[in-house]
Amino acid sequence: MANYVFTDRDRTRKLYANDNIIMAYKSVRCYCKNEKCDARMFVYDPEHPNRAYFKASGKPPHCGACGYESKGFRITEYKEEKFVFPDTLYPLLKDVEKKESKKAKHGGISRIGGIEGYKIVECNAYRYKKENLTMYMNYPVFPNVKGHLILEFCNEELLKKMIPRMVGKKHDGLVVVFGKWRHDEKFSYVRIDSENQISVIKKES
């Protein structure tokens, strides 16, 4: 997934997914930001600029590091303490610090190590409970699942809106969740106050 591409082969004209002229580029081939890559880039979901993104379609595929690898980071090459959290993401939380989260009763799912603080977490949907306004997420992503995370939605409307975007039959969609995480002896939780806290990177085919 990419948030910008170039509209010309020489890469002199940059186009962002949330640009106000994005609909004019629906089904129009664009070019990868990597000048050595000849992947055919197209915009997806341009009708909703806040969710629109670019990805390669057809051949040739991405070449080198510009392509997205669904396996995520190599843990041996990633040091969490060096990560600097982007300040631009904090406004998406909609006063999450001021709201108390009502913890529902959960059980019967395997334990994982705790996630705590402001984090961006890669996971995918496992199941949801409308009565508790919760969604359980596979972590790490399916099929390498070791445990589950819990998303606590602030209202039923938001949960219903996100279910068709996130939940599939094979649990192999790829989702990124941003928020202030907390954990107890069994689960890690995050409160979802806005759809902007969730980005669906890869939907099931």
Side-chain angles (χ1 to χ4, degrees), residues 16-161:
Y16 286 89
N18 63 353
D19 199 296
N20 57 10
I21 61 169
I22 194 64
M23 282 299 296
Y25 286 87
K26 186 175 182 179
S27 301
V28 175
R29 185 260 173 94
C30 294
Y31 296 85
C32 178
K33 58 185 177 181
N34 180 355
E35 62 182 14
K36 296 181 179 180
C37 177
D38 200 36
R40 298 167 59 85
M41 303 293 291
F42 294 91
V43 64
Y44 287 76
D45 210 4
E47 296 84 0
H48 303 92
N50 64 319
R51 301 199 306 266
Y53 62 96
F54 296 98
K55 76 172 183 177
S57 178
K59 295 182 179 180
H62 276 296
C63 115
C66 53
Y68 177 76
E69 293 292 337
S70 62
K71 293 182 181 179
F73 292 110
R74 293 184 179 182
I75 192 64
T76 57
E77 300 175 3
Y78 176 70
K79 294 184 178 180
E80 183 178 352
E81 63 272 13
K82 292 186 178 182
F83 178 73
V84 178
F85 204 87
D87 289 340
T88 53
L89 292 179
Y90 288 110
L92 302 180
L93 293 180
K94 287 188 174 179
D95 299 324
V96 66
E97 295 277 6
K98 300 178 182 178
K99 299 178 180 179
E100 290 295 326
S101 178
K102 295 181 180 179
K103 191 179 297 184
K105 294 180 180 179
H106 308 288
I109 298 181
S110 55
R111 299 172 60 176
I112 61 169
I115 299 174
E116 188 171 18
Y118 289 104
K119 305 288 183 182
I120 299 172
V121 179
E122 182 182 277
C123 50
N124 54 21
Y126 170 55
R127 70 182 186 193
Y128 59 90
K129 291 185 176 182
K130 287 185 178 179
E131 63 273 20
N132 291 338
L133 302 181
T134 55
M135 186 177 294
Y136 292 83
M137 306 297 289
N138 293 319
Y139 181 81
V141 296
F142 181 89
N144 301 310
V145 184
K146 294 182 180 178
H148 296 86
L149 312 174
I150 296 177
L151 311 188
E152 298 176 316
F153 288 81
C154 64
N155 58 59
E156 186 176 3
E157 180 182 1
L158 183 57
L159 174 60
K160 286 183 177 180
K161 189 174 185 178

